Amino acid sequence: MPGSAPASAVVASVADQGVAAFTNIAVVIVAARQSTADGFASFAIVYTVFTLLLGLTGAYVGQPLALRRGRETSLHRHCRASAAFTLAASAALGAVLALATFALPGRLAAGLAALGVVLPVVLTQDALRYTFAVLRRPQLALVSDLLRCSVVLPLLAAQPHGTDPGRMVLVWGLSALPALALSALLLTRLTRGAGVPVVRALLDRRHLGRRFAVEFGVGNASSQLAVVGLGVFASAPAVGALRGATTLFGPMNVLFNAATGFGPPLLARHGGAHRQARIAGTAGGALAALAAALTVVLSLLPDRAGRELLGDTWALAADLLPATGSQYAAMALGTCGLLTLRVLTPRATLPLQVVFSALSVCFLLAGYAIGGITGAAWGLALGSACKATAVWARVALELRTVVRT
C-alpha cells in the first residue's frame, strides 16, 4: 500500500489531533454534567492521574517511536514492539493502581480502581496512534479516534445524573475497546510478516524514552502531581473546580500543542535569530490575547449556560475563570518563548523547566494555603507568569550573544 500524499497526511495528522483533543474536552464536560459536584471532584482526580500516565507513556513510547527511521521491516517490528510494551506495562501499572486504592476513601478509591482496570485499553489505543504516524497512515489514526469519539460521548451522556465516579470511569475506558480492536487489526495487517516484536529493546538504557520521560516529569508532571495530592490530602472539590475551569480553555491547549509540534520547523525556515524571536513573540501575543478574549466570553456566560456546560461544578469553576484565563495567557507567552529557545539553543529549556515547574508547585500549594481553591488557581497563574518572564529573558540573552558574535 503506498503512503499518503504529503499534503493529505498533514491534514489527517492535524485533524486527528483535533479529534483527540475534542474528545478529551467533551469527556470532561459530559462527565461534569452527569455528576454531582462531589462526584465530579473524584472523577477529576482520576482523570488527572490518567493524564499523567498518558503523558508518561507518550514520552517513553510514543515520542521515540515517532523519531524512528529505517527500513520498512524494522519500522514494522518497532511498531509492534511499542504496542506490545504499552499493553504489558499499562496492565502492570493498572494492577498496581488498583491495589493501591485500598488506603483511599470510597468514591476516589472506586474511581482509581476502575482506572486500573481500563488503563491497558486507553493507553494502548493511544499508543497505536503513534504507530500509524510512523507508518505514514495518519488517516487510520483519525478513523480510530473518530470511532472512539462516536462511542464514548453517547455512552457517557446516557448515564443517569449522579453516576458514581467508578462507573463513569469504567464506561469511559471500556468505550475505547472498539477503537482499540480496529487499530490492532489495522496494525496487524500493515505489519504482516514483521516477525516477533522485541519488547525488551524499550528497556535498554539507551532508549530515548528515558530522557523524554524525565523531561515530561520535570516540565508537566510535577504540577499535575501537586494537583492530585491536593485532591487526595486536602480538597477533592478543589481539583474538580480546577479541572472544570481548565477544560473550558481546552481549545487553547489544542493551539499550544499545534505550536509545540509545528512551531520549531516553521521558525527554522525564517533566517535570523531576531526575526525568529519576533515571529514567536507575535504568535505568543496573539495567543495570549485569544486567551484573554475567551476569559471574557466565559465570564459573561449566564449561570444557566454555565450549568449546561459543567453541571453542579460550574458554581466553583466560575470563580476561577479570571485566574485560569491569566494562567493561559502567561502559558501562551511561555510556550512561544520555549519554541524560540528550542530553535536558538535547545539545551537551555530543561533547566528552565526544572526551576519553574518546582516554583509553580510551590505557588500552587502556597496559594491554596492562603486563599483556598481561588488562591491555588492564582498560584498556578503566577507560576506560569514567572516562567514566561524567565524564558523571554533567556531569549533576550541569547539574542545579545548573537549580536556580539
Side-chain angles (χ1 to χ4, degrees):
M1 290 172 64
S4 302
S8 62
V10 171
V11 171
S13 296
V14 174
D16 179 53
Q17 292 295 326
V19 170
F22 169 78
T23 302
N24 290 335
I25 295 168
V27 160
V28 176
I29 288 176
V30 174
R33 292 183 62 186
Q34 301 303 106
S35 305
T36 62
D38 288 341
F40 180 70
S42 296
F43 179 86
I45 295 173
V46 174
Y47 203 78
T48 302
V49 172
F50 161 71
T51 303
L52 275 168
L53 296 175
L54 179 66
L56 184 64
T57 304
Y60 193 89
V61 178
Q63 291 181 36
L65 180 61
L67 296 175
R68 285 283 180 184
R69 299 291 183 270
R71 293 179 301 174
E72 184 177 89
T73 304
S74 175
L75 289 177
H76 288 182
R77 280 199 301 269
H78 282 301
C79 286
R80 285 194 169 200
S82 296
F85 176 86
T86 303
L87 181 61
S90 57
L93 279 172
V96 171
L97 186 62
L99 289 173
T101 59
F102 286 109
L104 297 175
R107 280 188 166 189
L108 180 57
L112 288 172
L115 178 61
V117 171
V118 302
L119 204 58
V121 177
V122 291
L123 290 186
T124 306
Q125 192 268 334
D126 187 77
L128 290 175
R129 297 171 62 235
Y130 288 94
T131 67
F132 294 133
V134 172
L135 298 174
R136 298 181 183 178
R137 300 292 194 281
Q139 70 273 20
L140 299 182
L142 175 59
V143 169
S144 174
D145 281 338
L146 284 170
L147 175 60
R148 183 177 182 184
C149 183
S150 67
V151 174
V152 64
L153 298 185
L155 284 178
L156 285 178
Q159 303 307 304
H161 185 268
T163 297
D164 286 337
R167 175 175 169 178
M168 194 72 76
V169 172
L170 279 176
V171 171
W172 160 75
L174 295 178
S175 68
L177 277 171
L180 174 61
L182 175 63
S183 297
L185 176 63
L186 292 171
L187 180 65
T188 301
R189 292 184 60 186
L190 283 173
T191 61
R192 185 178 296 152
V196 179
V198 185
V199 177
R200 66 176 179 273
L202 279 84
L203 297 174
D204 191 278
R205 290 182 181 179
R206 295 167 295 180
H207 180 55
L208 280 175
R210 294 191 173 203
R211 176 179 175 83
F212 293 147
V214 170
E215 290 190 5
F216 169 77
V218 168
N220 299 280
S222 55
S223 59
Q224 293 188 54
L225 280 172
V227 170
V228 172
L230 187 66
V232 172
F233 299 110
S235 170
V239 180
L242 287 170
R243 172 61 70 176
T246 54
T247 297
L248 296 177
F249 287 86
M252 296 301 303
N253 287 327
V254 176
L255 294 175
F256 293 164
N257 290 336
T260 301
F262 297 104
L266 290 175
L267 280 182
R269 294 178 186 176
H270 297 277
H274 286 80
R275 186 180 182 192
Q276 291 168 347
R278 282 196 298 271
I279 292 171
T282 301
L287 288 173
L290 183 59
L294 184 56
T295 303
V296 172
V297 170
L298 291 172
S299 298
L300 293 176
L301 276 180
D303 194 58
R304 181 176 179 181
R307 289 185 175 276
E308 285 295 317
L309 283 173
L310 293 180
D312 295 341
T313 303
W314 169 256
L316 291 173
D319 293 336
L320 306 186
L321 291 176
T324 304
S326 300
Q327 179 192 358
Y328 271 83
M331 287 169 60
L333 294 169
T335 297
C336 291
L338 286 171
L339 290 179
T340 310
L341 282 180
R342 287 193 182 117
V343 174
L344 298 179
T345 174
R347 292 180 181 274
T349 59
L350 185 56
L352 288 167
Q353 296 273 35
V354 170
V355 172
F356 287 95
S357 293
L359 192 63
S360 290
V361 171
C362 293
F363 286 153
L364 164 70
L365 299 178
Y368 181 76
I370 295 170
I373 302 173
T374 304
W378 279 113
L380 287 172
L382 179 58
S384 295
C386 290
K387 184 176 181 179
T389 302
V391 166
W392 279 104
R394 183 58 190 266
V395 170
L397 178 63
E398 294 299 327
L399 293 177
R400 286 198 295 272
T401 303
V402 169
V403 170
R404 292 193 193 106
T405 55

